[in-house]
Amino acid sequence: MGLTLIISYYKALNNLKLILKALNKQSNKNFEVIISEDDYNEETVSFILNNKSYSKFKISHINQKSDNGFRKNEMLNRAILKAKYELLVFIDGDCIPNKHFVKEYLKNVEKGKILNGRRVMLDEKTSKSLYNTQSLDKLNFKSLLFSDTQKVKEALYFPYFKLFYKQRGLCGCNWGILKEHLLDINGFDEDYQNPGVGEDTDIEWRLKLSGLKMKSVKNKAIVFHLYHPRTYSASAV
């Protein structure tokens, strides 16, 4: 089985460069990438076209005709239909996967389950260092332990058994599922047109209503969330 990684992307090319660099270092190469851009940006189009040949995986890019507000879910539904593989994994365009990310999702895929990962919240200093050096060497538990990074324990890679047993809600920037399960519920609800107001909880609720259960890939499939100020108001949460 292969994996289709869908990256929700919006005007953050410096982030995308780091993500694609991390994906080139994956321990399992059996995947494709769909960059799901909720915008039309010439710089992004040009970068992807000029760098496809350097990638060790197939890259597809879908985008809007114009930037007309928050239509992330519409783009995700388009990406689902375009996906080549049956296992779909979703990350946001500010999250860098660790080198065993693809391997762990493929190892843990299970019919009837929603695979649910977490994220490490990088501090501003570490994020700036990544942009400046373009090096991913600091993205590990030991290096981050004495930084101002939050949720550092999520950076501990431990693929053997569960370290923590408390089940948490779906993390929209790091989760996976078989394509058939999303098609069964008609995909994402495109009526959600504001960020952070329920698009993740809605898809979790409808998948669970259809009979699916959560399965944690915490401390296995890890992503590192790059620091940035919040882009939506607290009143919208």
Side-chain angles (χ1 to χ4, degrees):
M1 177 184 284
L3 177 156
T4 296
L5 179 64
I6 299 172
I7 304 172
S8 293
Y9 172 79
Y10 180 76
K11 291 183 178 178
L13 188 54
N14 285 337
N15 294 353
L16 185 62
K17 290 176 181 178
L18 290 169
I19 293 169
L20 296 180
K21 186 168 188 173
L23 291 174
N24 254 347
K25 299 177 180 292
Q26 289 297 299
S27 57
N28 187 312
K29 313 293 186 188
N30 192 22
F31 67 99
E32 65 168 353
V33 168
I34 299 177
I35 300 169
S36 175
E37 182 181 17
D38 189 15
D39 184 19
Y40 182 84
N41 186 288
E42 287 285 358
E43 187 181 15
T44 301
V45 173
S46 177
F47 171 78
I48 293 170
L49 287 174
N50 292 333
N51 287 274
K52 275 187 175 182
S53 60
Y54 298 104
S55 297
K56 299 175 183 178
F57 48 88
K58 178 187 174 184
I59 300 178
S60 299
H61 178 213
I62 59 175
N63 54 14
Q64 302 281 13
K65 293 181 179 179
S66 62
D67 185 355
N68 189 26
F70 184 81
R71 296 177 290 169
K72 174 183 176 181
N73 282 4
E74 175 191 326
M75 294 307 301
L76 290 176
N77 284 335
R78 286 174 55 186
I80 291 167
L81 296 177
K82 188 176 181 63
K84 171 184 175 182
Y85 293 112
E86 279 304 302
L87 175 57
L88 308 181
V89 175
F90 300 87
I91 65 171
D92 284 347
D94 53 10
C95 291
I96 304 173
N98 83 327
K99 67 179 180 179
H100 298 306
F101 184 83
V102 169
K103 180 182 79 171
E104 289 300 330
Y105 266 105
L106 286 170
K107 187 170 75 173
N108 284 279
V109 63
E110 190 175 343
K111 190 176 177 67
K113 295 294 177 67
I114 308 163
L115 300 176
N116 186 27
R118 310 315 294 174
R119 60 182 174 174
V120 181
M121 302 296 290
L122 297 175
D123 63 292
E124 186 173 9
K125 182 180 178 180
T126 301
S127 297
K128 284 183 177 179
S129 175
L130 291 171
Y131 293 132
N132 292 335
T133 66
Q134 292 293 298
S135 171
L136 305 176
D137 291 343
K138 290 185 178 180
L139 294 184
N140 59 76
F141 177 76
K142 184 177 179 180
S143 297
L144 295 173
L145 190 58
F146 299 104
S147 72
D148 290 328
T149 290
Q150 298 179 26
K151 302 183 180 179
V152 177
K153 67 180 182 180
E154 315 289 8
L156 181 61
Y157 177 64
F158 193 81
Y160 309 107
F161 52 82
K162 286 184 180 180
L163 289 176
F164 307 98
Y165 286 85
K166 183 179 179 180
Q167 186 60 264
R168 302 177 66 183
L170 186 144
C171 186
C173 66
N174 182 7
W175 71 288
I177 193 169
L178 290 172
K179 186 179 189 177
E180 64 183 276
H181 296 320
L182 280 176
L183 295 178
D184 284 345
I185 64 165
N186 203 30
F188 291 86
D189 187 342
E190 296 180 14
D191 286 339
Y192 285 92
Q193 296 188 0
N194 287 294
V197 294
E199 69 271 17
D200 294 339
T201 53
D202 172 79
I203 196 73
E204 177 185 356
W205 178 78
R206 290 190 293 118
L207 286 168
K208 286 181 175 178
L209 195 64
S210 72
L212 273 64
K213 306 294 183 184
M214 302 288 278
K215 179 179 178 180
S216 176
V217 287
K218 181 178 178 179
N219 297 111
K220 298 176 183 178
I222 300 164
V223 299
F224 301 89
H225 180 272
L226 290 155
Y227 173 86
H228 59 80
R230 291 185 74 156
T231 55
Y232 51 90
S233 67
S235 62
V237 179

